[in-house]
């Protein structure tokens, strides 16, 4: 396929082409559908693609444009959604068998915002069941493969969202990030992935994993595109009590303004042993580049970092055990046909409908909340969470952003970690504390290993300072554009 | 040995907010099943709760009315357990920080006779918290159906201290609580519609003992008489067990209103571990002084305070105030009408006798009619307070006899016509025109000289025959006072 094909362009470029009349949304969407047909057999990023619906949206976009009623820069541009984000009348499986036959009767707030912007909502993207995992191996519908090496995982849980963008099946996608589920797969697939500040993007319509940690965020090939998608989906939502009332600036517009190089913090706890050498080398080159741009770097300390994984697995599983209780075989979830009585309906439907990681986490979470254990686990975890947040507050008095690797290793092989939950959990070690502190984090591709696997670096910003964080990320990205390199499929 | 029961009540009251506790969909009773639902009510993937401010405000109102301490922060917790009437399999409730703490409910025990006020005392409250209601299950032979219309409606749980000792106190407590809540306009408290539901915690101990006996919780006490009978039965059961030396086990029992006994539901060992934790989907809400002050301004007078005021300021007898003050709408009617009437006592009598009788008849008729409209209330009935005041003032002024008024009132009630209209329509203007009366009286004296002579001779009672003749001649429309005066004058 020619590199001129629309599928290799960024959303920003496509937006310009649509405006200039070089391409129509129907042509673009058609090209995307063909790409999916060509490569998704290998990648398996999509759980569902309603081609007819996507083309109808594209046609409507072209009609708007011809009447001069273009809604936004994203009008006519396809966006894929992780299969936990509700779209009216479309399936929502959360990659679980228990939601096999469910179709959402309503739109998530981000879906409404995308529709209002005229985006073509195209496809349901694969994930670890209920967003629980770091490799997409926990999908009940089969794993997604890393487009850079089909033997390897794309990361997770938003592995479908990252792989779809990396494989150039869609220019943009949305994922959700509870402990790194956007940033880690972005890193492993060589694309940009961002988790906004908790409260920036409405969670209404996002099938919850852990309510106090979940955030929806964008995937793209460039930081510029991430800014464009983020500004479209952000903003206060009266339907989400945890959404923050704040004016959303034009992030993509802010990127065009010259930014003063600031101070980047390098937390020593994140550069210790256990990190892959090539990852370390790529991240160090990135730091060098920032220095060359006039940024100051400073070693900082986040001493409570080692608490983050245990704290996360207590809080996230506790919330999940309660959030997933609604999938019970009574109303809209699959009911076991072996159930003899009411208790059976619960036990057998959940037993048959959930995969083992989901069960493990529900059990862990219920245990941590049970009478006699609550104080020792959940309550203590909440206190430790405060310590983690305070670490960042202290550091942000001195620096504008914190730079770390996104994941300790590049993409690993299928089965390499799936038998060992702890080693799998550790692949989120650099991303989890950001969720616990509620801060924005972005993973930006920063090169490749010698064997051609992408490496990502993570920038963590201050709460609600997405603009500054995107500016710093963009300063590196515009000079390298590693995310624009496409895998050979 | 004598035994003493110790009883605490958990009363659930549905708040009459327009929308549900955590979503915009409306509340209501009697709608087709599962029509008052939306993604939030059904607990669909991705649905999130948003708090209903009006429910908080109404809870603050209840708290102030019952003298509770209002929490500075209203915080939400999840109570986790699996049951098909609960769409999310957790209930959003308040665990360790209820919106109101403490407080009390004034109760009145029955007096020696219905005309006498009984003794009053305060029943202590533990807490009042807000939560969402669950759906309604209907069980059939092979399956059960669930209706989520009620699910997610705001529900206030009012928990008393174990501070009651017999079914009469329980009845008095419920009656008083209900009157206050209805007066505050926070719920109609209709038990038949499930707007007020009640569980009782009952234990029994030898009289004089200070430690509490083993507690048994009784559920399904869904009518006032059910509460009374259920509590009475359970006390008897426990006393019998103690007398027989059988162990009373800590358990939850269900009241069966048809067979009139309680049966075990679950024991302490089977109790759920609700795994309470703060709901991460909801932010705690600050309740500041300004908010509380604003709500305090809307507080109604408490029913017992009103009753005491009527007795002291208007000199109304207990027998009347006790009928009036059980119904705040009747009180509202009474106060509006009394402000216009010349005699509060007469007005009170008319309100509790004639108006109430017509109202209850109208509402009874309504039960058989096709349209099941809202029950008629004093303020929505065809006789306005102004109209009743007009009628009473005509009687007071001697322009209408009590008997004629009593005859006219039912017609005023059915037709909505004023008393003046009806009098005109029927040509009933009371004869107090002196000239005409004098002629008729003179006639009567002439026609019954016997009676006239007897009266003149000192037989006071003889005048009644003459009066009777005058009334007959005027078809009862003459003012008796005027007739009496005229006859005496003519006979002197």
């Amino acid at each position: 396929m020619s590199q001129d094909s629309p599928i290799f362009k960024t959303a920003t470029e496509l937006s310009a082409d649509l405006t200039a009349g070089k391409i129509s949304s129907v042509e673009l969407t058609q090209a995307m559908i063909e790409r999916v047909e060509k490569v998704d057999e290998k990648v398996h990023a999509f759980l569902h693609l309603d081609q007819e619906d996507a083309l109808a949206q594209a046609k409507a976009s072209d009609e708007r444009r011809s009447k001069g009623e273009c809604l936004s820069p994203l009008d006519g541009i396809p966006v894929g959604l992780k299969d936990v984000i509700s779209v009216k009348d479309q399936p929502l499986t959360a990659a679980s068998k228990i939601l096999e036959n469910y179709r959402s009767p309503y739109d998530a707030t981000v879906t409404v915002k995308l529709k209002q912007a005229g985006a073509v909502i195209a496809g349901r993207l694969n994930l670890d069941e209920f967003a629980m995992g770091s490799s997409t191996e926990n999908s009940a519908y089969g794993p997604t493969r890393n487009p850079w090496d089909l033997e390897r995982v794309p990361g997770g849980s938003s592995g479908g969202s990252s792989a779809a963008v990396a494989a150039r099946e869609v220019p943009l996608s949305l994922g959700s990030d509870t402990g790194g589920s956007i940033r880690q797969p972005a890193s492993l697939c060589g694309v940009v992935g961002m988790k906004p500040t908790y409260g920036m993007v409405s969670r209404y319509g996002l099938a919850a994993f852990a309510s106090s940690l979940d955030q929806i965020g964008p995937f793209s090939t460039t930081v510029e595109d991430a800014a464009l998608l983020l500004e479209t989906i952000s903003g206060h939502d009266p339907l989400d009590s945890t959404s923050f009332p704040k004016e959303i600036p034009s992030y993509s517009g802010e990127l065009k303004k010259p930014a003063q190089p600031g101070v980047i913090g390098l937390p020593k706890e994140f550069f210790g042993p256990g990190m892959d050498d090539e990852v370390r080398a790529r991240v160090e080159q990135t730091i060098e580049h920032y220095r060359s741009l006039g940024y100051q770097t400073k070693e900082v300390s986040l001493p409570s970092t080692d608490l983050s994984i245990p704290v996360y697995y207590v809080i996230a599983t506790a919330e999940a055990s309660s959030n997933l209780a609604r999938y019970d075989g009574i109303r809209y979830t699959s009911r076991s046909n072996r159930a003899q009585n009411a208790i059976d309906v619960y036990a057998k439907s959940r037993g048959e409908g959930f995969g083992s990681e989901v069960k493990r986490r529900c059990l862990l979470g219920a245990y941590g909340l049970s009478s006699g254990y609550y104080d020792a686990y959940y309550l203590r975890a909440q206190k430790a969470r405060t310590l983690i947040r305070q670490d960042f507050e202290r550091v942000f008095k001195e620096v504008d952003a914190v730079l770390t690797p996104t994941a300790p290793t590049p993409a690993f092989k299928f089965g390499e970690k799936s038998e060992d939950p702890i080693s799998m959990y550790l692949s989120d070690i650099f991303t989890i504390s950001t969720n616990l502190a509620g801060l924005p984090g972005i993973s930006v591709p920063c090169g490749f290993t010698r064997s051609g696997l992408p490496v990502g670096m993570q920038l963590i910003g201050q709460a609600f300072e997405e603009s500054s964080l995107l500016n710093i990320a963009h300063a590196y990205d515009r000079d390298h554009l590693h995310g624009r390199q496409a895998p050979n499929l | 040995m004598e035994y003493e029961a110790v009883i605490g009540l958990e009363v659930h009251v549905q708040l009459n907010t327009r929308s549900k506790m955590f979503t915009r969909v409306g509340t209501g009773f009697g709608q087709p099943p599962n029509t008052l639902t939306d993604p939030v009510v059904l607990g669909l993937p991705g649905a999130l709760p948003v708090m209903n401010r009006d429910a908080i405000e109404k809870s603050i109102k209840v708290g102030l009315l019952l003298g509770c301490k209002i929490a500075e922060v209203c915080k939400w917790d999840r109570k986790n357990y699996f049951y098909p009437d609960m769409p999310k399999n957790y209930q959003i409730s308040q665990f360790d920080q209820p919106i109101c703490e403490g407080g009390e409910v004034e109760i009145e025990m029955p007096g020696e006779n219905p005309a006498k006020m009984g003794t009053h005392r305060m029943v202590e409250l533990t807490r009042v918290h807000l939560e969402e209601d669950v759906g309604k299950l209907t069980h059939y032979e092979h399956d059960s159906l669930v209706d989520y219309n009620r699910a997610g409606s705001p529900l206030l749980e009012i928990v008393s201290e174990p501070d009651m000792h017999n079914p009469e106190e329980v009845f008095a407590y419920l009656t008083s609580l209900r009157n206050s809540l209805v007066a505050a306009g926070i719920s109609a408290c209709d038990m038949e519609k499930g707007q007020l539901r009640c569980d009782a915690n009952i234990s029994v101990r030898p009289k004089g003992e200070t430690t509490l006996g083993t507690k048994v919780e009784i559920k399904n006490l869904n009518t006032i008489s059910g509460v009374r009978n259920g509590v009475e039965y359970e006390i008897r059961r426990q006393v019998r067990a103690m007398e027989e030396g059988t162990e009373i086990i800590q358990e939850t029992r269900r009241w069966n209103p048809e067979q009139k006994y309680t049966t075990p539901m679950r024991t302490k060992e089977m109790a759920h571990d609700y795994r309470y934790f703060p709901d991460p989907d909801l932010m705690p809400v600050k309740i500041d002084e300004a908010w509380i002050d604003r709500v305090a301004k809307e507080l109604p007078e408490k029913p017992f305070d009103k009753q005491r005021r009527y007795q002291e300021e208007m000199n109304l007898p207990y027998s009347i105030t006790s009928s009036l003050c059980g119904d705040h709408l009747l009180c509202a009617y009474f106060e509006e009408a009394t402000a216009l009437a010349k005699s509060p006592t007469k007005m009170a009598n008319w309100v509790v006798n004639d108006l109430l009788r017509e109202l209850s008849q109208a509402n009874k008729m309504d039960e058989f009619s096709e349209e099941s409209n809202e029950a008629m209330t004093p303020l929505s009935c065809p006789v306005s307070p102004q109209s009743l005041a007009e009628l009473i003032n005509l009687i007071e002024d001697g322009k209408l006899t009590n008997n004629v008024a009593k005859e006219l009132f039912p017609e005023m009630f059915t037709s909505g016509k004023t008393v003046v209209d009806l009098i005109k329509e029927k040509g009933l203007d009371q004869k107090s025109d002196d000239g005409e009366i004098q002629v008729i009286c003179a006639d009567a004296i002439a026609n019954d000289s016997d009676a006239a002579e007897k009266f003149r001779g000192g037989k006071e009672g003889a005048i009644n025959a003459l009066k009777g003749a005058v009334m007959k001649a005027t078809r009862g429309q003459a003012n008796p006072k005027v007739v009496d005066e005229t006859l005496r004058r003519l006979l002197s």
Side-chain angles (χ1 to χ4, degrees):
Chain A
M1 187 169 289
S2 147
Q3 290 290 315
D4 295 341
S5 161
I7 62 159
F8 291 108
K9 293 191 170 175
T10 67
T12 307
E13 289 164 351
L14 290 169
S15 185
D17 286 356
L18 285 163
T19 308
K22 288 186 191 160
I23 190 170
S24 71
S25 176
V26 168
E27 285 163 346
L28 172 57
T29 306
Q30 192 60 53
M32 182 211 120
I33 289 169
E34 281 161 22
R35 177 73 175 175
V36 172
E37 282 176 340
K38 184 175 166 235
V39 304
D40 208 53
E41 242 172 53
K42 296 178 216 164
V43 178
H44 192 230
F46 283 75
L47 290 178
H48 180 77
L49 174 58
D50 187 339
Q51 301 190 1
E52 209 177 302
D53 177 59
L55 286 168
Q57 292 177 62
K59 190 161 169 262
S61 167
D62 287 336
E63 279 164 13
R64 275 196 298 274
R65 193 176 295 277
S66 70
K67 282 188 268 176
E69 291 166 3
C70 181
L71 295 169
S72 84
L74 284 188
D75 201 334
I77 294 178
V79 181
L81 304 191
K82 186 177 184 179
D83 201 16
V84 274
I85 299 171
S86 306
V87 177
K88 193 174 190 299
D89 300 328
Q90 292 290 327
L92 183 152
T93 67
S96 180
K97 259 180 23 204
I98 209 159
L99 282 168
E100 200 166 10
N101 300 310
Y102 174 73
R103 273 178 188 259
S104 181
Y106 75 103
D107 277 332
T109 296
V110 292
T111 306
V112 172
K113 285 177 179 279
L114 286 175
K115 285 182 174 174
Q116 283 166 351
V120 173
I121 295 168
R124 312 291 305 158
L125 301 170
N126 201 9
L127 64 146
D128 286 296
E129 185 178 2
F130 284 107
M132 296 178 183
S134 309
S135 66
T136 323
E137 290 168 289
N138 296 335
S139 169
Y141 304 101
T144 297
R145 297 176 180 278
N146 192 315
W148 291 96
D149 179 348
L150 298 173
E151 302 289 296
R152 290 175 187 270
V153 303
S157 68
S158 310
S161 300
S162 64
V165 171
R168 301 304 187 265
E169 295 174 278
V170 275
L172 299 170
S173 69
L174 291 183
S176 65
D177 190 317
T178 308
S181 278
I182 289 175
R183 290 158 290 157
Q184 186 258 21
S187 168
L188 268 51
C189 289
V191 295
V192 175
M194 182 169 187
K195 180 202 96 76
T197 308
Y198 185 79
M200 266 300 274
V201 178
S202 169
R203 294 184 296 115
Y204 189 76
L206 167 72
F209 161 14
S211 312
S212 73
L213 301 161
D214 294 342
Q215 268 294 283
I216 295 173
F219 283 96
S220 57
T221 51
T222 63
V223 170
E224 196 179 21
D225 276 9
L228 192 61
L229 186 50
L230 182 67
E231 71 196 26
T232 307
I233 61 168
S234 298
H236 179 242
D237 179 12
L239 297 178
D240 176 359
S241 314
T242 62
S243 121
F244 196 80
K246 190 178 187 299
E247 276 299 305
I248 304 300
S250 161
Y251 296 125
S252 55
E254 296 285 308
L255 287 188
K256 295 187 181 91
K257 294 182 191 162
Q260 274 302 323
V263 184
I264 291 176
L266 305 171
K268 60 179 184 198
E269 292 81 3
F270 286 62
F271 288 89
M275 198 197 306
D276 179 276
D277 288 341
E278 290 201 79
V279 170
R280 188 188 300 272
R282 293 292 92 70
V283 173
E284 274 166 4
Q285 279 173 5
T286 308
I287 296 166
E288 273 314 311
H289 186 77
Y290 274 115
R291 288 188 184 124
S292 76
L293 292 174
Y295 283 81
Q296 283 181 49
T297 56
K298 185 170 183 176
E299 188 184 88
V300 292
S301 174
L302 296 164
S304 303
T305 298
D306 60 348
L307 295 175
S308 57
I309 290 216
V311 164
Y312 174 84
Y313 277 95
V314 171
I315 293 174
T317 58
E319 293 179 5
S321 73
S322 175
N323 284 334
L324 270 63
R326 66 188 63 195
Y327 308 116
D328 58 3
I330 301 283
R331 291 166 308 278
Y332 49 84
T333 37
S334 311
R335 181 180 300 183
S336 167
N337 50 26
R338 298 187 300 120
Q340 299 293 317
N341 55 48
I343 298 294
D344 263 13
V345 170
Y346 294 134
K348 297 214 162 89
S349 303
R350 289 165 68 81
E352 292 166 17
F354 286 147
S356 59
E357 183 62 25
V358 171
K359 285 180 206 164
R360 176 168 23 242
R361 295 199 194 188
C362 286
L363 287 171
L364 255 175
Y367 183 79
L369 288 176
S370 38
S371 153
Y373 296 97
Y374 180 86
D375 289 359
Y377 292 103
Y378 190 77
L379 207 61
R380 275 186 86 194
Q382 288 294 7
K383 287 177 185 160
R385 185 175 182 177
T386 307
L387 295 179
I388 292 164
R389 189 166 29 227
Q390 285 167 349
D391 271 5
F392 279 105
E393 278 165 14
R394 205 169 37 245
V395 162
F396 278 120
K397 286 188 181 134
E398 302 171 36
V399 303
D400 299 299
V402 168
L403 191 152
T404 77
T406 307
T409 65
F412 44 92
K413 290 201 161 156
F414 286 102
E416 198 178 316
K417 297 186 178 183
S418 53
E419 294 308 310
D420 179 2
I422 300 294
S423 88
M424 187 72 90
Y425 295 174
L426 285 171
S427 63
D428 289 333
I429 187 149
F430 297 142
T431 47
I432 273 180
S433 53
T434 321
N435 298 73
L436 290 168
L439 302 175
I442 186 167
S443 178
V444 180
C446 64
F448 294 84
T449 63
R450 279 183 297 275
S451 58
L453 292 173
V455 176
M457 59 105 170
Q458 172 180 237
L459 286 161
I460 303 167
Q462 299 186 59
F464 299 107
E465 296 296 332
E466 269 72 5
S467 200
S468 154
L469 183 65
L470 283 162
N471 267 296
I472 297 170
H474 184 55
Y476 173 86
D477 190 49
R478 73 176 158 213
D479 292 345
H480 296 85
L481 297 171
H482 294 296
R484 297 219 53 182
Q485 287 192 51
N488 207 355
L489 279 164
Chain B
M1 197 189 292
E2 252 196 281
Y3 292 95
E4 177 192 51
V6 181
I7 308 158
L9 286 194
E10 287 170 20
V11 174
H12 287 93
V13 182
Q14 249 180 37
L15 300 181
N16 59 0
T17 53
R18 273 170 50 221
S19 55
K20 291 197 176 181
M21 186 63 238
F22 295 110
T23 183
R24 291 182 287 201
V25 75
T27 56
F29 180 82
Q31 309 295 121
N34 295 308
T35 50
L36 299 173
T37 62
D38 69 359
V40 179
V41 173
L42 294 176
L44 296 186
L48 293 174
V50 176
M51 195 196 72
N52 180 338
R53 256 184 92 84
D54 190 35
I56 301 281
E57 197 149 316
K58 287 193 155 112
S59 306
I60 297 173
K61 202 169 181 180
V62 171
L64 292 174
L65 198 67
L66 302 179
C68 310
K69 182 179 171 292
I70 311 294
E72 285 170 28
V73 169
C74 181
K75 173 210 157 206
W76 302 101
D77 300 287
R78 290 188 186 178
K79 180 180 181 180
N80 295 283
Y81 65 100
F82 281 88
Y83 206 67
D85 63 5
M86 210 166 45
K88 303 183 292 295
N89 289 314
Y90 63 80
Q91 182 186 26
I92 305 176
S93 181
Q94 299 188 302
F95 178 52
D96 54 350
Q97 290 177 41
I99 185 161
C100 312
E101 277 184 285
E104 55 196 13
V105 173
E106 183 176 358
I107 63 167
E108 177 181 349
M109 297 304 290
E112 300 154 31
N113 71 61
K116 275 206 163 159
M117 184 189 268
T119 52
H120 283 227
R121 79 167 179 96
M122 295 295 183
V123 171
E124 301 289 316
L125 296 180
T126 313
R127 58 184 274 171
V128 177
H129 72 253
L130 193 50
E131 59 191 23
E132 53 176 347
D133 208 345
V134 296
K136 198 169 166 20
L137 282 168
T138 314
H139 301 285
Y140 296 92
E141 198 181 335
H142 296 295
D143 48 16
S144 301
L145 296 181
V146 59
D147 176 7
Y148 291 113
N149 281 354
R150 198 180 69 183
S153 297
L155 195 65
L156 206 59
E157 182 171 333
I158 302 168
V159 183
S160 86
E161 289 283 288
D163 196 17
M164 286 166 271
H165 303 285
N166 55 58
E168 288 69 38
E169 282 188 332
V170 169
F171 178 76
Y173 171 83
L174 271 181
T175 309
S176 167
L177 183 61
R178 183 161 77 167
N179 287 346
S180 292
L181 299 176
V182 171
I186 66 113
S187 174
C189 293
D190 187 339
M191 287 187 91
E192 273 176 36
K193 293 181 182 169
Q195 291 164 343
L196 190 147
R197 309 194 288 271
C198 180
D199 303 333
N201 289 304
I202 302 172
S203 64
V204 160
R205 64 186 171 195
K207 203 166 176 109
E209 191 91 30
T210 47
T211 50
L212 290 168
T214 306
K215 179 181 81 175
V216 174
E217 185 178 6
I218 310 297
K219 292 205 174 274
N220 201 38
L221 300 169
N222 291 338
T223 59
I224 291 254
S225 66
V227 177
R228 208 178 204 163
N229 297 338
V231 169
E232 198 174 340
Y233 171 85
E234 182 57 24
I235 293 172
R236 260 191 289 122
R237 188 189 72 85
Q238 290 187 26
V239 168
R240 204 182 313 126
M242 290 195 86
E243 282 170 348
E244 289 168 0
T246 13
E247 194 198 353
I248 295 166
I249 47 172
Q250 188 175 336
E251 61 180 347
T252 301
R253 297 174 72 90
R254 182 187 162 86
W255 169 246
N256 300 287
E258 290 83 22
Q259 293 90 353
K260 299 208 171 3
Y261 56 70
T262 61
T263 45
M265 275 173 80
R266 57 174 181 263
T267 61
K268 186 191 172 195
E269 287 69 37
M270 289 154 74
H272 296 288
D273 177 358
Y274 291 122
R275 290 176 280 119
Y276 279 104
F277 75 107
D279 192 326
D281 286 332
L282 288 159
M283 304 303 264
V285 181
K286 235 194 179 136
I287 302 173
D288 59 15
E289 287 295 319
W291 195 0
I292 295 175
D293 290 347
R294 194 152 34 77
V295 177
K297 289 201 183 94
E298 298 164 8
L299 279 188
E301 188 178 17
K302 291 180 194 169
F304 281 131
D305 290 345
K306 197 187 286 275
Q307 190 174 2
R308 281 185 281 264
R309 180 166 64 84
Y310 286 175
Q311 287 172 203
E312 283 155 23
E313 288 178 6
M314 303 186 198
N315 258 324
L316 298 180
Y318 174 77
S319 58
I320 293 217
T321 58
S322 61
S323 303
L324 267 180
C325 296
D327 183 340
H328 79 291
L329 292 177
L330 204 62
C331 289
Y333 183 101
F334 167 70
E335 293 199 7
E336 204 178 328
T338 290
L340 304 166
K342 293 182 178 166
S343 164
T345 312
K346 193 160 261 170
M347 176 56 81
N349 266 303
W350 272 80
V351 168
V352 301
N353 295 314
D354 302 79
L355 182 69
L356 262 191
R357 183 189 57 242
E358 295 302 326
L359 269 172
S360 74
Q361 248 168 34
N363 284 328
K364 225 178 267 165
M365 299 286 280
D366 213 41
E367 278 175 37
F368 298 106
S369 82
E370 285 294 301
E371 315 151 66
S372 63
N373 287 328
E374 287 289 297
M376 190 186 281
T377 70
L379 292 169
S380 72
C381 86
V383 180
S384 68
Q386 291 76 8
S387 186
L388 185 57
E390 191 175 37
L391 176 133
I392 279 158
N393 290 343
L394 285 174
I395 301 172
E396 282 294 294
D397 292 346
K399 290 182 179 153
L400 187 66
T401 64
N402 214 45
N403 289 344
V404 174
K406 295 265 176 195
E407 269 174 47
L408 290 180
F409 187 73
E411 203 174 335
M412 288 168 67
F413 197 94
T414 41
S415 67
K417 289 179 183 159
T418 67
V419 64
V420 175
D421 288 344
L422 282 178
I423 287 171
K424 272 192 199 136
E425 211 173 273
K426 295 177 180 284
L428 292 177
D429 313 44
Q430 193 175 64
K431 303 273 190 292
S432 58
D433 179 287
D434 285 355
E436 200 181 334
I437 294 279
Q438 197 165 321
V439 173
I440 297 166
C441 286
D443 264 7
I445 292 168
N447 291 340
D448 193 348
S449 53
D450 196 29
E453 279 316 307
K454 279 183 182 160
F455 179 77
R456 285 193 183 111
K459 200 162 180 207
E460 176 70 20
I463 198 168
N464 289 338
L466 298 170
K467 279 187 195 170
V470 174
M471 294 315 271
K472 196 175 174 191
T474 58
R475 285 182 295 140
Q477 292 165 42
N479 183 334
K481 227 163 120 194
V482 178
V483 172
D484 184 71
E485 282 164 13
T486 312
L487 283 172
R488 282 174 198 277
R489 187 157 41 80
L490 292 172
L491 290 169
S492 66

